[in-house]
Amino acid sequence: MRRKGLAIMAVQTVAGTTTPQDASPANPHGDAFGPAAALSCRECGARYPLTPVFACLECFGPLEVAYDLPLGDPEHLRKQIEAGPANIWRYAPLLPVPADVADKQNLHPGWTKLVKADNLARELGITGGLHIKDDSGNPTHSFKDRVVAIALEAARTFGLTTLSCSSTGNLAGAVGAAAARAGFRSCVFIPDDLEQGKVVMAAVYGGDLVAIKGTYDDVNRFCSELIGDPAGEGWGFVNVNLRPYYGEGSKTLAYEIAEQLGWRLPDNLVIPIASGSQLTKIDKGLKELIALGLVEDKPYKIFGAQAEGCSPVSAAFKAGHDVVRPVKPDTIAKSLAIGNPADGPYVLDIARRTGGAIEDVTDEQIVDAIKLLARTEGIFAETAGGVTVGVLRKLIETGQLDPAAETVVFNTGDGLKTLDAVSPTTGPTATISPTLAAFREAGLA
C-alpha cells in the first residue's frame, strides 16, 4: 500500500492551557499523556487507545499520537512555555507526557544551542543567514536523548520493566543512560560493526548490550520478533512498540528552533535521514506551531540528507518514485545506515509538498564537511552532521537551495563518537624537537 502524507491531528479549542483528560476508552491512563487523545493511523485514520502498539490493525499503517491541543490564546501558551525549564519539558503542554514530567527521574534533554554560523555561511556563499542546530550538547551527545525521554515516560505509564531498542549506535547509548537514571533494566541491540566509541558508550551504563551479526535492518527484524515472544513480555522497545510516543521527541527540535529564532520559522531546514522519523516529526512540529498561532504561517522548505552509500530515499526522490527501494548500507555514516527506512515514503511527500529536495553525498564529502564545520564554527560533528553540511553545500552548488534564504542545518551528534571517520586524515601539523630552531624550521613561526 502507498502511504500518503501525515495523519490529521485532532484538536479542540481550549482557553490557553491543556485540560487534563479523564480516563476513557481512547485514553485509559487519565492525564498521564497530557494533551494526547489517541493513536491515529497515518494511512487510513483509524484511531486506537493510547497503548504500546505501533501498527494499524486495519491497514498495517504506522500509528502516531493524535492530540487535543490548546488552540486558545497563543500569547498565554507562549508565556507558559517560556516560563518552563531549560529542556524539552518546557513543551510538555504539546507532548504525550504528564504535566509533572519535569519532576520525574529522567535525563531532561533539549534546549541545545542554535549557533549562528556566519563563518560557514561566508564559506558556502549563504547570505540569508545560517544556523546550526547543534544537538551534540544533549546528555549522551546526540538528539536521541529527546526521543528516548518521551518513550521512557510512556514505558513508565504502561508499567513496563525493561527498556530496549534496535540501534545504529546513538540510540543504544541514550536508552542505556535513560534506563540507568530511571531505574529500569535495559537491553539494547546493535549491529556488530559499529564504531567503537558508540559501543563503549552504550555498554558503560551497565545494561545488556547485544551485538548481532548483520545490518541494522537485521537487528530491527530480530527485535520485532522478540516483541511477539514471551521472552519480550514487559519490554518497551522505544523505536518499535513505543515508536508512536518516541517519535514525538523529534518535534521538540522544531519547537526550539522557532523559539530560539524569536518565535518564527526559518525558510529552509536541512535534516539527516536514517529511518526518516526525525524529518517527518520536525515537519509535524512546525505545522503544530502554525496551527497554535505560536508562529506566523509562512512557507518553509525541508531538505533531506543521506550518505550516498545508503541513499534509498534520495534515489527515489531523484527518480520521481513514491516507493523507496531498500538497499544494503555501505557508508561511514553508520548512524544513518538504515537501508529500509520506515518513514521513507512520508519523507518524499514532505520534501515535495514543501518544495524541498533530498540529496546525498559521498563518504569523502562527509569527511570534508566534518572538517569544514569544525574549521569554520568550532563544532566537531558526527558523521551524520557531515552528511547534512555536505548536502547543504551540494544543494547550494546545484542551485536547489536559495543562499539568500535563512537556513537551519542539523548536527545530531558529537564527532568524538565517530573518530574513525576523520582520524586517517587528521593529526599533528608537525612533530618537532622542543627548540625554537625546530619550530622555525617547520615553518610555524
Side-chain angles (χ1 to χ4, degrees):
M1 176 183 289
R2 170 71 179 102
R3 296 175 177 174
K4 297 180 180 179
L6 297 174
I8 298 174
M9 297 176 296
V11 296
Q12 67 182 33
T13 300
V14 182
T17 59
T18 302
T19 303
Q21 300 173 339
D22 294 326
S24 68
N27 183 10
H29 301 283
D31 60 0
F33 288 107
L39 296 181
S40 175
C41 177
R42 292 164 75 178
E43 285 297 318
C44 70
R47 289 166 75 89
Y48 297 88
L50 292 164
T51 53
V53 296
F54 61 100
C56 176
L57 297 177
E58 300 292 328
C59 70
F60 302 106
L63 301 180
E64 69 174 358
V65 178
Y67 293 93
D68 290 329
L69 288 176
L71 293 181
D73 179 3
E75 187 59 30
H76 177 89
L77 178 57
R78 192 179 293 117
K79 289 180 179 178
Q80 181 183 1
I81 290 170
E82 291 173 346
N87 54 52
I88 63 172
W89 306 133
R90 68 198 289 112
Y91 308 109
L94 310 179
L95 297 170
V97 294
D100 64 348
V101 65
D103 299 326
K104 295 182 180 294
Q105 289 287 92
N106 200 297
L107 292 179
H108 310 304
W111 201 243
T112 55
K113 293 180 180 179
L114 184 68
V115 179
K116 195 168 187 298
D118 292 340
N119 297 331
L120 180 60
R122 281 193 295 271
E123 187 90 12
L124 298 179
I126 294 175
T127 58
L130 176 64
H131 304 267
I132 309 292
K133 183 55 174 172
D134 184 13
D135 241 25
S136 64
N138 276 311
T140 68
H141 307 288
S142 91
F143 93 94
K144 292 295 188 181
D145 290 321
R146 296 174 182 269
V147 290
V148 170
I150 293 179
L152 171 64
E153 293 311 315
R156 205 192 308 263
T157 297
F158 295 138
L160 303 176
T161 56
T162 298
L163 213 59
S164 185
C165 68
S166 52
S167 174
T168 56
N170 282 325
L171 183 57
V175 167
R181 171 70 173 159
F184 278 67
R185 179 204 174 200
S186 70
C187 181
V188 300
F189 302 88
I190 59 173
D192 65 345
D193 65 345
L194 287 189
E195 302 97 335
Q196 187 61 22
K198 290 181 180 177
V199 172
V200 172
M201 189 167 190
V204 74
Y205 300 109
D208 292 314
L209 175 66
V210 181
I212 290 181
K213 297 177 181 178
T215 67
Y216 170 82
D217 298 291
D218 296 319
V219 178
N220 202 35
R221 280 191 293 271
F222 168 79
C223 289
S224 296
E225 292 178 14
L226 183 54
I227 287 174
D229 190 272
E233 185 176 351
W235 286 39
F237 289 81
V238 299
N239 54 346
V240 189
N241 61 340
L242 296 177
R243 188 176 182 85
Y245 313 93
Y246 159 96
E248 297 298 285
S250 290
K251 295 193 311 181
T252 61
L253 284 161
Y255 300 157
E256 286 181 20
I257 288 169
E259 185 178 355
Q260 290 169 330
L261 288 176
W263 293 109
R264 61 183 178 83
L265 303 183
D267 300 310
N268 303 315
L269 301 96
V270 183
I271 306 169
I273 299 170
S275 72
S277 175
Q278 183 188 59
L279 186 150
T280 63
K281 291 304 186 290
I282 288 173
D283 178 65
K284 183 180 180 183
L286 296 175
K287 291 166 67 179
E288 288 177 352
L289 290 168
I290 293 170
L292 290 163
L294 292 173
V295 298
E296 179 186 353
D297 187 357
K298 57 161 280 187
Y300 57 87
K301 295 182 179 181
I302 288 184
F303 298 85
Q306 291 199 293
E308 185 181 89
C310 185
S311 54
V313 189
S314 175
F317 180 85
K318 294 174 182 178
H321 296 162
D322 292 334
V323 176
V324 176
R325 179 175 295 177
V327 301
K328 185 175 181 179
D330 182 16
T331 174
I332 60 172
K334 295 185 184 300
S335 62
L336 304 184
I338 297 179
N340 188 16
D343 280 25
Y346 302 106
V347 170
L348 293 171
D349 289 341
I350 290 168
R352 290 167 179 157
R353 189 196 80 230
T354 65
I358 303 170
E359 262 296 356
D360 55 81
V361 285
T362 66
D363 283 358
E364 183 179 2
Q365 290 171 319
I366 293 169
V367 173
D368 287 345
I370 291 172
K371 292 182 176 181
L372 173 64
L373 180 59
R375 173 171 59 82
T376 56
E377 299 298 342
I379 296 173
F380 185 16
E382 191 189 352
T383 48
V387 170
T388 52
V389 173
V391 163
L392 171 63
R393 178 160 57 183
K394 187 173 182 179
L395 290 168
I396 294 170
E397 291 172 348
T398 57
Q400 297 178 81
L401 186 147
D402 181 4
E406 185 177 46
T407 298
V408 173
V409 63
F410 289 74
N411 173 43
T412 53
D414 195 317
L416 292 174
K417 294 185 176 187
T418 56
L419 290 173
D420 290 351
V422 294
S423 58
T425 57
T426 307
T429 302
T431 301
I432 65 172
S433 300
T435 66
L436 288 174
F439 177 73
R440 293 189 177 95
E441 288 173 6
L444 300 171

